Amino acid sequence: MAETIRVLVTGAAGQIAYSLLYSIAKGDVFGREQPLVLVLLDIPPMLPVLEGVVMELQDCALPLLKEVVPTDKEEVAFKDLDAAILVGSMPRKEGMERKDLLKANVAIFKAQGAALDKYAKKTVKVLVVGNPANTNCLIAAKSAPSIPKENFSCLTRLDHNRARSQVAMRCGIPADNVKNVIIWGNHSSTQYPDVHHCKVNVEGKDVAAFEMVKDDDWLKGDFISTVQQRGAAVIKARKLSSAMSAAKAICDHMRDIWNGTAEGEFISMGVYSTGNSYGVPEDLIYSFPVTIKDKAWKIVDGLAINDFSRAKMDATAAELVDERDTAISFLGV
């Protein structure tokens, strides 16, 4: 048996965590041979609910789950972590300005970044899910100077999976026959789902998505807006935000960090932009196509970018620069 790892999930009494914890605890993410301790952090009013979640995890009788630690204390939650999945954030309330939402989340992610810096292993892999995920991730990374910025990423895998599924449904094939879609930029409605480099496997042969779909208007129009607006569409239908699909995307993202990406395939994640080759401004957490090997990601270089893509990539970057500058003004640095 491998050495036990410590995995933190924040917002652990919430609905995304409820869909996520069983998959982690049974070995779908870190491996079927990997024992783990699950640390569950939430705010004090949620602790009674968290107790119920702990009971259920115990009642699953899972062989890999060595211990469950529910807490509202950062010094307990962030101690000696191997992985941190930061799901909890301040949700946008009715009548709330975007600026107010940013301010509230800067406070949360500044504190959590500082706690990672103080208590976690320097090798910890940190995934930020709570929105606005890109900017929250950047604030956490900036607040943890002793942990490499490469160890921080934010979730755009849900958007990636949405894009992949839309192409698959359009072509009438399984989703795993679609690879190398790209989400560029912010996990917001300005994100750019790009299929110019996407391959669709039909009868054992890789075909370009544009060639297979044969509907450029759809790929440059409704396809993009469907993926961009999918979260809002789910909320409208369910009266709750995406939980099952978000949890699945978190599992995909962390599994790929742990085990690497398949040969010839890349995935999307929000990573530190400094040094990128696509003209994206420095010092952002921006979603790029990446490959992963030995727990380290690398941006896929050399992909041709046409004028249509360039404009969309620049628009989402501009939103992120604006978010970053507003957030940093709240940091007091």
Side-chain angles (χ1 to χ4, degrees):
M1 267 289 189
E3 205 174 305
T4 302
I5 60 171
R6 287 181 80 83
V7 178
L8 167 68
V9 177
T10 73
Q15 58 150 1
I16 291 176
Y18 193 76
S19 292
L20 171 67
L21 292 168
Y22 175 67
S23 295
I24 294 174
K26 84 182 214 298
D28 287 354
V29 178
F30 299 101
R32 296 296 164 96
E33 304 290 315
Q34 179 59 68
L36 49 87
V37 171
L38 261 181
V39 187
L40 308 181
L41 177 69
D42 217 313
I43 54 176
M46 298 305 290
L47 288 181
V49 177
L50 202 51
E51 280 303 330
V53 175
V54 172
M55 285 187 243
E56 283 210 71
L57 281 165
Q58 291 166 342
D59 296 349
C60 289
L62 295 162
L64 294 173
L65 186 58
K66 297 303 172 197
E67 192 186 353
V68 186
V69 182
T71 186
D72 60 352
K73 294 182 173 51
E74 286 178 342
E75 62 273 21
V76 175
F78 289 89
K79 184 108 182 85
D80 296 334
L81 292 179
D82 295 280
I85 302 169
L86 308 183
V87 180
S89 65
M90 167 74 79
R92 191 168 190 163
K93 299 194 172 78
E94 212 171 326
M96 197 185 228
E97 292 286 329
R98 197 166 129 267
K99 206 169 69 209
D100 299 331
L101 182 70
L102 265 176
K103 190 172 189 175
N105 280 299
V106 164
I108 293 167
F109 285 88
K110 180 183 180 180
Q112 293 192 347
L116 284 162
D117 202 56
K118 189 171 178 184
Y119 301 112
K121 291 180 181 173
K122 300 308 173 196
T123 51
V124 66
K125 300 296 182 189
V126 183
L127 167 58
V128 176
V129 179
N131 285 318
N134 299 58
T135 300
N136 288 344
C137 184
L138 185 67
I139 295 302
K142 282 182 177 297
S143 305
S146 71
I147 297 170
K149 293 222 176 353
E150 293 72 34
N151 290 24
F152 288 82
S153 56
C154 84
L155 189 75
T156 56
R157 185 60 169 267
L158 177 52
D159 310 302
H160 180 99
N161 287 349
R162 286 165 171 163
R164 199 176 176 187
S165 175
Q166 288 296 317
V167 171
M169 289 190 296
R170 191 77 174 193
C171 296
I173 56 171
D176 63 356
N177 284 21
V178 178
K179 68 179 183 185
N180 299 353
V181 299
I182 302 168
I183 303 297
W184 298 99
N186 200 1
H187 174 63
S188 75
S189 59
T190 69
Q191 64 174 265
Y192 170 41
D194 177 9
V195 287
H196 286 93
H197 306 280
C198 173
K199 296 274 189 281
V200 177
N201 192 285
V202 185
E203 291 165 6
K205 283 214 305 279
D206 278 349
V207 182
F210 270 88
E211 205 178 300
M212 184 65 194
V213 171
K214 294 186 176 63
D215 188 344
D216 290 14
D217 288 348
W218 180 75
L219 285 172
K220 289 182 164 184
D222 285 353
F223 161 73
I224 291 173
S225 55
T226 297
V227 176
Q228 287 173 332
Q229 304 292 339
R230 189 68 158 190
V234 170
I235 289 172
K236 193 174 175 204
R238 278 192 85 224
K239 311 293 180 266
L240 291 164
S241 59
S242 312
M244 185 188 350
S245 54
K248 159 68 164 56
I250 292 165
C251 291
D252 291 346
H253 179 117
M254 285 309 271
R255 188 190 309 111
D256 283 346
I257 287 180
W258 236 248
N259 299 322
T261 46
E263 192 63 43
E265 220 170 297
F266 48 75
I267 52 100
S268 305
M269 59 169 68
V271 296
Y272 198 54
S273 65
T274 297
N276 77 86
S277 63
Y278 290 104
V280 171
E282 311 269 286
D283 200 35
L284 295 174
I285 296 285
Y286 185 100
S287 183
F288 289 97
V290 302
T291 55
I292 303 168
K293 193 178 178 191
D294 301 327
K295 294 197 177 94
W297 54 263
K298 186 175 179 298
I299 294 172
V300 177
D301 284 327
L303 298 174
I305 305 295
N306 62 21
D307 291 346
F308 178 85
S309 294
R310 181 80 261 163
K312 296 226 175 293
M313 289 164 68
D314 288 349
T316 191
E319 182 183 57
L320 279 170
V321 168
D322 180 49
E323 265 186 34
R324 175 198 65 197
D325 294 348
T326 308
I328 285 175
S329 73
F330 296 135
L331 255 188
V333 295

